[in-house]
Amino acid sequence: MAPLLQSSQPWVEKYRPKQIKDVAHQDEVVRVLTNTLETANCPHMLFYGPPGTGKTTTALAIAHQLYGPELYKSRVLELNASDDRGINVVRTKIKDFAAVAVGSGQRQGVYPCPPYKIIILDEADSMTEDAQNALRRTMETYSKVTRFFFICNYISRIIEPLASRCAKFRFKPLPEEIMSNRILHICNEEGLTLETEALSTLSSVSQGDLRRAITYLQGAARLFGSSISSKDLISVSGAIPREVTEAIYAACKNGDFDLANKEVNDVIAEGYPVSQMLAQLFEVVVEVDDISDEQKARICKSLATADKCLVDGADEYLQLLDVVSNTMRSLCNMPQEFSYDI
Amino acid sequence: MLWVDKYRPKTLDQVIVHQETAENLKKLVTEQDCPHLLFYGPSGSGKKTLIMALLRQIFGTSAEKVKVENRTWKIDAGSRTIDLELTTLSSTNHVELSPSDAGFQDRYIVQEIIKEMAKNRPIDTKGKKGYKVLVLNEVDKLSREAQHSLRRTMEKYSASCRLILCCNSSSKVTEAIRSRCLNVRINAPKEEQIVKVLEFIGKKEGLQLPPGFAARVADKSNRSLRRAILSFETCRVQQYPFSSNQAIPPMDWEEYVSEICSDIMREQSPKRLFQVRGKLYELLINCIPPEIILKKLLSELLKKLDEELKHEVCHWAAYYEHRMRMGQKAIFHLEAFVAKFMSIYKAFLIATFG
């Protein structure tokens, strides 16, 4: 029997801001919502922006602050992509919940408890268009007693009629110093020490996504103990060390096919995920100055083709080899067309 | 018992190759609750060995008493019920299975089994609730839907059930799952490490190793430890005492593929293509996966080709492998690759020699 230890909560949940004013860097939204808290008046909302910028956090925080723990269960319906959200759910569950009338707005203690319910639709961009269409009328019919909060990454996937019914807020990616502040705060609370370079590594591997940064941090802390170096973070995040990508690029530049083949074999044997490799190779290619735009374009095209093939489930080794061979031909100005292909 | 099994490290302390990873894993499970884990790396690198050792570390020796079961699940899928049969390997504290065996119905397996595991949660002598471990093999072969339902179940039942996922390429596992697990990359052992293991086995077996012999075995193994140990044992059976220039027998199917390779280099004609088809069928019938055949064929061809042809051939290999994955019948695409190669090579010969 395994000893059961205190089940550790993910830090992402533990350090999720509980109040609107703690949400970092999204001033505009925070201002509007603080106003809402005072007047208890709130339009339909649409939050969009890249992952890990605080959209869900904000929605949950405002719901909690409006209703308090007691009423929260009966007033808020939260659905995300892992729940079934086909057109049937919209027609039944959402509509039923939206239709229920609520009592008059009695202020309970510190909570305003306005006379409407909130439905939070997380990851709304993965809803089908039909389901979204079915929502249109529901939103208007029950607007007296229900407010909708849509949360999504890509606003273009939300149909125009829905978007036009909502107040839209864009969530910006977090800049490095705000992220560092949060991370250092967590490190303090958990008693971790970060080595000097680790902080900047963490922001570069997580690319403005605070949730990802915190997940990596927790992973590293569990695996490597309380003192964390940038190497540990790279190994937890699944990123590929820069030397490896550069070795591949150098081999392409060199123009020797067998050498490149050897490098590709090594990458596969080391177990690096090739999709990650393509992403990092892309960064290298875009940043390099000494090649022409046309060469860059060609390389990017081959990267894109390979990425699609990988998604279809093609073999990693062959795809990477194909990319490397294409890159080599572009870099060394070999002919692009195959000469013996009839 | 085969040496591969005989000398498989049983505990995390005995591990020779991935010592650092083993240390970290040990720390992980002793200090606190174990998170979900995702092991990824090429085959023969020791993922399974580490997982078994880790289970032993958590549950003690009871994790080793496993029984193989062939179970049927009745699954209620809305309007109809589905019968699914699956082989599981289980001890009191863990269940191991390859859900991808269920084919396109893998989603139900994922949902049903985890639900069942979560329902009967083990309780220890002190009445405290423990957790079970579910080891899922080949997660990269799971369908998208199965992976999506997995991520929901991972959260819902995380109190009573820990998942250990094992796969070859983590590109095929969705980001949503990867971000919920602690990712552990297991790299293929370096040749020096393989040599070390072979020498260790040699010492235990009381064998005389001529200098450089282990290094040659390691060199032939393509950095797969399992393969190195297997061919080491084959050598032992073939000839002992070892002579320093003893040939290390290649795998049968590899020899067969290189035969195909030299066939198509020698003659490019419909007649030869027909013969090659027979050989490819022979390989497929013997359960050699088609993508392995294609990769081996490519690597054999690359050894013999001119520099300018290499780019072309490797492009087409990638192209046909992708199509093979999208299509149904592997033989069409293997044959198409061979035909393509013949056409290219013939054109090259004509252009060069007239």
Side-chain angles (χ1 to χ4, degrees):
Chain A
M1 175 52 60
L4 186 80
L5 296 147
Q6 185 64 43
S7 171
S8 48
Q9 204 184 5
W11 292 353
V12 184
E13 295 298 329
K14 195 169 166 188
Y15 294 100
R16 197 188 273 281
K18 302 281 182 306
Q19 302 208 319
I20 294 287
K21 63 176 168 40
D22 297 336
V23 175
H25 190 59
Q26 317 292 354
D27 308 325
E28 199 186 340
V29 189
V30 172
R31 213 168 43 237
V32 171
L33 288 176
T34 327
N35 198 14
T36 301
L37 274 179
E38 281 158 16
T39 60
N41 195 4
C42 165
H44 296 303
M45 302 259 196
L46 172 59
F47 297 157
Y48 65 102
T53 48
K55 299 181 294 296
T56 313
T57 306
T58 313
L60 291 179
I62 184 80
H64 276 288
Q65 279 185 282
L66 278 175
Y67 299 113
E70 274 174 33
L71 274 175
Y72 181 82
K73 277 238 163 76
S74 62
R75 293 287 182 90
V76 179
L77 177 68
E78 193 196 336
L79 292 171
N80 62 31
S82 51
D83 302 302
D84 188 15
R85 277 193 318 197
I87 189 152
N88 278 330
V89 176
V90 173
R91 281 192 185 135
T92 56
K93 201 172 169 187
I94 295 184
K95 212 168 164 186
D96 288 351
F97 185 83
V100 177
V102 288
S104 62
Q106 284 291 321
R107 208 183 163 88
Q108 295 190 350
V110 286
Y111 304 111
C113 294
Y116 48 77
K117 301 176 300 295
I118 289 181
I119 297 184
I120 300 172
L121 291 170
D122 207 343
E123 294 158 50
D125 41 4
S126 66
M127 284 173 88
T128 58
E129 205 160 295
D130 289 342
Q132 292 187 33
N133 272 317
L135 267 180
R136 285 161 62 171
R137 195 63 200 147
T138 317
M139 277 176 77
E140 285 179 349
T141 321
Y142 303 112
S143 64
K144 269 206 165 143
V145 285
T146 306
R147 295 289 180 276
F148 280 85
F149 282 34
F150 295 96
I151 300 173
C152 65
N153 294 131
Y154 305 102
I155 195 169
S156 52
R157 306 248 177 93
I158 302 289
I159 57 168
E160 185 52 37
L162 277 195
S164 70
R165 285 174 170 80
C166 302
K168 282 178 239 155
F169 294 101
R170 179 168 181 275
F171 281 65
K172 305 177 279 280
L174 302 180
E176 203 171 325
E177 70 261 20
I178 290 187
M179 208 144 118
S180 312
N181 272 342
R182 264 336 265 188
I183 295 291
L184 285 177
H185 168 73
I186 292 176
C187 289
N188 255 340
E189 295 278 313
E190 295 289 334
L192 299 177
T193 45
L194 282 182
E195 280 174 29
T196 40
E197 291 212 340
L199 201 59
S200 62
T201 314
L202 192 57
S203 14
S204 78
V205 291
S206 55
Q207 293 169 346
D209 181 343
L210 188 56
R211 174 176 46 208
R212 216 184 323 171
I214 297 175
T215 314
Y216 290 158
L217 189 68
Q218 186 172 18
R222 279 182 149 176
L223 210 50
F224 302 103
S226 60
S227 166
I228 295 167
S229 71
S230 72
K231 204 173 121 253
D232 300 338
L233 286 170
I234 286 182
S235 92
V236 169
S237 69
I240 299 167
R242 215 175 157 76
E243 304 89 74
V244 181
T245 9
E246 263 158 17
I248 286 261
Y249 185 76
C252 292
K253 202 143 203 193
N254 182 310
D256 182 354
F257 188 87
D258 292 323
L259 181 75
N261 191 5
K262 204 178 136 288
E263 288 290 342
V264 171
N265 265 318
D266 279 347
V267 169
I268 301 291
E270 286 295 318
Y272 294 119
V274 171
S275 52
Q276 179 70 31
M277 185 69 188
L278 294 184
Q280 286 185 239
L281 210 55
F282 171 72
E283 267 167 37
V284 173
V285 169
V286 170
E287 278 168 19
V288 157
D289 316 320
D290 59 346
I291 60 174
S292 73
D293 285 354
E294 193 194 339
Q295 285 171 319
K296 283 188 184 180
R298 277 199 190 126
I299 297 171
C300 291
K301 192 175 162 225
S302 79
L303 284 171
T305 319
D307 187 62
K308 159 74 177 135
C309 292
L310 280 180
V311 170
D312 289 339
D315 186 79
E316 296 195 311
Y317 165 74
L318 291 173
Q319 291 304 330
L320 186 56
L321 191 62
D322 192 26
V323 165
V324 164
S325 137
N326 266 314
T327 313
M328 190 187 293
R329 272 182 289 145
S330 310
L331 289 180
C332 305
N333 293 316
M334 297 180 198
Q336 291 298 311
E337 302 300 320
F338 293 129
S339 32
Y340 304 109
D341 183 22
I342 316 167
Chain B
M1 216 207 272
L2 286 175
W3 288 353
V4 181
D5 296 317
K6 195 170 166 188
Y7 294 105
R8 188 189 293 275
K10 296 275 187 315
T11 63
L12 288 175
D13 300 314
Q14 291 171 6
V15 171
I16 300 179
V17 179
H18 298 100
Q19 268 165 355
E20 208 175 314
T21 319
E23 278 303 309
N24 287 332
L25 285 174
K26 206 164 131 190
K27 231 171 17 196
L28 184 72
V29 293
T30 43
E31 270 179 17
Q32 39 182 328
D33 200 2
C34 165
H36 298 303
L37 292 170
L38 171 69
F39 285 81
Y40 63 97
S43 60
S45 57
K47 299 182 292 296
K48 236 13 201 315
T49 310
L50 276 173
I51 291 176
M52 291 320 288
L54 180 70
L55 286 175
R56 198 193 138 117
Q57 179 77 35
I58 302 175
F59 298 116
T61 45
S62 69
E64 279 171 15
K65 293 183 195 114
V66 291
K67 58 174 192 281
V68 182
E69 257 181 309
N70 228 335
R71 293 190 49 184
T72 351
W73 272 274
K74 272 203 191 318
I75 292 152
D76 187 26
S79 51
R80 67 219 153 93
T81 47
I82 302 169
D83 283 320
L84 278 179
E85 229 181 301
L86 204 69
T87 320
T88 61
L89 200 69
S90 57
S91 76
T92 44
N93 296 307
H94 86 280
V95 177
E96 183 187 332
L97 68 163
S98 319
S100 55
D101 289 353
F104 64 98
Q105 289 170 327
D106 48 6
R107 179 157 59 107
Y108 302 113
I109 285 289
V110 168
Q111 290 170 341
E112 278 304 306
I113 293 176
I114 300 181
K115 219 183 281 172
E116 196 185 290
M117 299 223 18
K119 260 187 232 158
N120 35 26
R121 199 168 159 181
I123 292 176
D124 71 356
T125 41
K126 288 175 205 132
K128 272 195 290 185
K129 285 173 182 169
Y131 60 88
K132 275 191 169 189
V133 172
L134 186 59
V135 182
L136 298 181
N137 289 323
E138 299 179 342
V139 239
D140 45 350
K141 293 200 182 120
L142 281 180
S143 63
R144 292 273 134 173
E145 297 86 59
Q147 295 196 20
H148 278 300
S149 47
L150 194 59
R151 81 176 196 189
R152 180 78 186 127
T153 25
M154 277 167 97
E155 287 174 346
K156 214 161 146 192
Y157 300 111
S158 65
S160 54
C161 174
R162 293 284 174 284
L163 293 180
I164 297 183
L165 311 174
C166 178
C167 70
N168 281 134
S169 62
S170 76
S171 319
K172 289 176 199 161
V173 181
T174 57
E175 178 62 40
I177 292 189
R178 269 187 283 161
S179 69
R180 281 170 176 76
C181 299
L182 189 55
N183 296 9
V184 185
R185 179 171 61 86
I186 309 292
N187 57 350
K190 298 239 163 38
E191 276 172 22
E192 307 90 73
Q193 289 172 316
I194 295 184
V195 169
K196 221 167 99 189
V197 174
L198 291 180
E199 276 166 359
F200 168 78
I201 293 177
K203 211 168 87 192
K204 286 267 180 184
E205 287 284 318
L207 301 175
Q208 288 290 323
L209 282 177
F213 181 72
R216 279 202 305 135
V217 174
D219 181 45
K220 291 266 182 205
S221 69
N222 264 335
R223 291 182 68 178
S224 161
L225 188 55
R226 173 171 38 220
R227 197 166 151 189
I229 299 176
L230 281 173
S231 60
F232 184 50
E233 191 170 2
T234 321
C235 290
R236 163 77 177 78
V237 175
Q238 253 174 6
Q239 185 189 344
Y240 186 78
F242 298 122
S243 59
S244 54
N245 56 355
Q246 182 175 353
I248 292 147
M251 306 279 233
D252 291 345
W253 68 270
E254 293 197 336
E255 231 166 339
Y256 211 67
V257 172
S258 41
E259 217 172 278
I260 295 178
C261 166
S262 45
D263 279 354
I264 60 179
M265 295 284 286
R266 217 174 301 130
E267 186 188 326
Q268 299 83 32
S269 66
K271 195 166 139 250
R272 183 50 59 93
L273 186 60
F274 183 68
Q275 287 168 0
V276 168
R277 175 194 295 169
K279 290 191 175 178
L280 288 175
Y281 259 127
E282 187 72 31
L283 284 169
L284 288 174
I285 287 166
N286 284 304
C287 290
I288 311 289
E291 63 272 12
I292 306 262
I293 301 177
L294 191 67
K295 268 198 277 187
K296 183 69 194 168
L297 192 58
L298 176 69
S299 80
E300 288 292 324
L301 288 172
L302 286 182
K303 277 185 211 158
K304 300 182 183 177
L305 288 175
D306 281 26
E307 192 76 12
E308 50 179 327
L309 277 181
K310 281 178 184 168
H311 292 286
E312 206 161 332
V313 172
C314 97
H315 169 76
W316 290 114
Y319 178 81
Y320 284 111
E321 199 276 335
H322 176 225
R323 291 193 135 197
M324 189 153 76
R325 198 61 67 138
M326 305 296 283
Q328 296 269 343
K329 283 259 180 212
I331 183 76
F332 295 152
H333 305 285
L334 286 177
E335 213 176 13
F337 173 68
V338 171
K340 189 84 200 175
F341 172 77
M342 282 181 170
S343 133
I344 291 168
Y345 195 63
K346 190 105 182 175
F348 167 74
L349 288 181
I350 291 171
T352 325
F353 303 108

